[in-house]
Amino acid sequence: MKNNFIKMSGVLEVCANSYTSALAAQNGGAKRVEFCDNLAEGGTTPSYGQIALAKKNLTIAVWPIIRPRGGDFLYSDLEFDLMKEDVKICKSLNCDGIVIGILLADGSIDIPRCSELIRLAKPMPVAFHRAFDMTNNMEKALEDLVDLGIVRVLSSGGASSAFSGIAQLTKLVKQANDRISIMPGAGINAENIQELYTTTGANDFHASAKVFVESKMEYRNATAKMGSIEDEYQYEVTSEEKVKALVQAIESANE
């Protein structure tokens, strides 16, 4: 299944880890949010309530991630059943699209399972997240995603950041040849997005644009821990100002 892909220029997608972050992304000028929870684990599926509120009150595109847990992208039958239910929820809430990523144990794309989620999602379009960076052959994986009908793939070029992977991302954009969008992501900020834009030839970009917010709690128990993060008296949220700076940088590169 090939895509009839329409090339867009300079679109910023924000990885929004909450309804609050999604609103900040919209106010900052982003065109789309990859909607998730648990950024510390690379993003997992947000709650029904978060998705419902986002779809009710946002005017930009909302694409929830379908990921039941952190860690690798090799899922059990139980986890896959959960993913299918989450796709149905996103469809019932009229989401603009969903983001998936499933691999086989050998590091190749799990074509049968991805195909099943794509069929279940219709008419919603489907994008592929950074599970792509964990594949055993990125060039072959890209062709598999094109054949599946995936519209967009998030990638750092297999490197620790998109800027470090800029050479591979440039190759992937050329290979894609407008059949699918290669969207650089990981470590993108207002200082490096212009070079990524002009060098890679990519048109979609992904950033969390996050800041840490200090807790307003007056009493603090320094001994008990609720989770694995080092400082539980702060949390991450998308910065409207950082989003604006990214959008402005893209606009300047277009001038």
Side-chain angles (χ1 to χ4, degrees), residues 15 39 67 120 126 158 168:
C15 181
L39 273 182
R67 189 178 180 217
L120 192 61
V126 180
Q168 177 66 5

Side-chain angles (χ1 to χ4, degrees), residues 195-248:
E195 186 168 349
L196 281 161
Y197 188 21
T198 56
T199 300
T200 65
N203 290 285
D204 288 277
F205 295 88
H206 175 99
S208 61
K210 64 188 178 184
V211 293
F212 285 97
V213 176
E214 184 71 16
S215 170
K216 293 183 172 61
M217 288 293 297
E218 296 176 1
Y219 171 75
R220 302 188 179 194
N221 184 336
T223 304
K225 298 286 288 183
M226 299 293 109
S228 60
I229 61 175
E230 184 176 343
D231 185 357
E232 294 180 333
Y233 288 99
Q234 64 177 9
Y235 58 92
E236 294 174 318
V237 67
T238 296
S239 163
E240 182 178 329
E241 289 70 29
K242 283 191 173 184
V243 175
K244 286 180 178 177
L246 283 160
V247 171
Q248 289 170 359

Side-chain angles (χ1 to χ4, degrees), residues 134-240:
M134 301 303 187
T135 57
N136 58 16
N137 184 321
M138 298 180 81
E139 289 75 17
K140 171 64 166 59
L142 184 61
E143 294 304 319
D144 288 341
L145 296 183
V146 170
D147 289 340
L148 281 167
I150 296 291
V151 298
R152 185 171 58 253
V153 56
L154 171 63
S155 178
S156 65
S160 59
S161 70
F163 198 76
S164 297
I166 194 168
Q168 177 66 5
L169 286 167
T170 302
K171 292 178 183 177
L172 290 168
V173 170
K174 290 179 180 177
Q175 179 186 340
N177 194 28
D178 292 344
R179 296 172 298 160
I180 185 173
S181 173
I182 303 297
M183 179 169 63
I188 289 183
N189 54 50
E191 286 68 47
N192 61 27
I193 195 170
Q194 285 191 345
E195 186 168 349
L196 281 161
Y197 188 21
T198 56
T199 300
T200 65
N203 290 285
D204 288 277
F205 295 88
H206 175 99
S208 61
K210 64 188 178 184
V211 293
F212 285 97
V213 176
E214 184 71 16
S215 170
K216 293 183 172 61
M217 288 293 297
E218 296 176 1
Y219 171 75
R220 302 188 179 194
N221 184 336
T223 304
K225 298 286 288 183
M226 299 293 109
S228 60
I229 61 175
E230 184 176 343
D231 185 357
E232 294 180 333
Y233 288 99
Q234 64 177 9
Y235 58 92
E236 294 174 318
V237 67
T238 296
S239 163
E240 182 178 329

Side-chain angles (χ1 to χ4, degrees), residues 25-47:
Q26 175 171 282
N27 292 339
K31 300 299 183 185
R32 180 176 61 242
V33 292
E34 181 196 52
F35 205 27
C36 68
D37 202 347
N38 297 317
L39 273 182
E41 294 189 357
T44 57
T45 305
S47 71

